[in-house]
Amino acid sequence: MDAITIDKDGIDYGIHGAIPSNLLYADTTPGKVKLVWYNPPEKRKAYFAKATGIEDGEMWVPGLLYVASESKLSVFAFKGQKPKSKLYRAPFMNVGEDSVCLGNSRGTKPTDRTFENLILYWEDMFWRSEFSHLLGGNPVNGNLAILTKHLMKTGEKFPNDVLIPCHHTLKSLLR
């Protein structure tokens, strides 16, 4: 996510546009670009590698906080409609406590570098990849595969009581 975009006339327009209401932090300093945003609990389509034994489908997910920094993405969970202080491990395969493995993600960075386009790009990179493996241990209290299959089958909302706290707080990520 380069902070500088030079147009054909040599003018730097960088990241621009309306500030989305879910964007909590933006640093557009060249070499230090960082965006932090969230989505409240919602239903999302998830894709899985065949080896997981989980069929692709929709399920409710907890509130998620995304941190995009240059070419790295991190995702955390939170309880409620908006993140407060305490954060939790994101309850998905391919997600470690500090980064996401985007192994088979294929996306094209937007040429019109608005905040909204960059957020959509990173969310697409995450949600359109195949979840395939645990990264840094089981991210929930219980069996993640069984929980995921159950949520897809029943349509139940995500049970926040299975979330595991992480070492990050909202404040620590907003710097």
Side-chain angles (χ1 to χ4, degrees):
M1 210 170 31
D2 301 325
I4 300 174
T5 302
I6 307 294
D7 78 354
K8 63 182 172 42
D9 300 318
I11 299 171
D12 172 12
Y13 289 104
I15 301 171
H16 63 281
I19 308 297
S21 60
N22 64 334
L23 181 64
L24 300 175
Y25 179 86
D27 183 347
T28 60
T29 305
K32 297 181 184 179
V33 173
K34 180 178 177 180
L35 300 177
V36 179
W37 71 96
Y38 74 95
N39 286 327
E42 62 184 341
K43 208 170 208 183
R44 295 298 302 237
K45 172 96 180 199
Y47 301 92
F48 295 88
K50 288 186 188 216
T52 66
I54 303 171
E55 295 289 325
D56 299 344
E58 285 192 346
M59 63 185 238
W60 279 94
V61 299
L64 297 176
L65 182 79
Y66 300 84
V67 180
S69 178
E70 298 297 336
S71 60
K72 177 182 166 186
L73 178 67
S74 299
V75 180
F76 306 92
F78 62 88
K79 295 179 180 180
Q81 293 297 306
K82 287 180 132 184
K84 295 183 177 89
S85 179
K86 195 170 192 176
L87 297 176
Y88 301 84
R89 294 202 49 203
F92 307 103
M93 294 176 184
N94 302 8
V95 180
E97 197 160 331
D98 291 309
S99 65
V100 173
C101 174
L102 294 170
N104 66 353
S105 294
R106 301 289 179 262
T108 304
K109 288 186 180 178
T111 53
D112 185 13
R113 296 169 41 80
T114 65
F115 292 106
E116 183 177 339
N117 286 347
L118 287 169
I119 286 171
L120 288 173
Y121 164 76
W122 281 108
E123 286 186 23
D124 278 350
M125 290 291 288
F126 181 71
W127 288 107
R128 292 179 188 235
S129 66
E130 285 185 339
F131 294 114
S132 61
H133 61 284
L134 291 177
L135 187 61
N138 192 1
V140 297
N141 287 315
N143 183 303
L144 180 61
I146 291 171
L147 174 64
T148 300
K149 288 177 184 179
H150 175 78
L151 293 174
M152 285 187 178
K153 181 179 179 181
T154 65
E156 291 176 17
K157 296 225 175 178
F158 189 89
N160 287 333
D161 61 329
V162 302
L163 293 173
I164 296 175
C166 69
H167 68 272
H168 292 289
T169 63
L170 180 60
K171 185 177 180 180
S172 72
L173 296 172
L174 299 179
R175 313 183 184 163

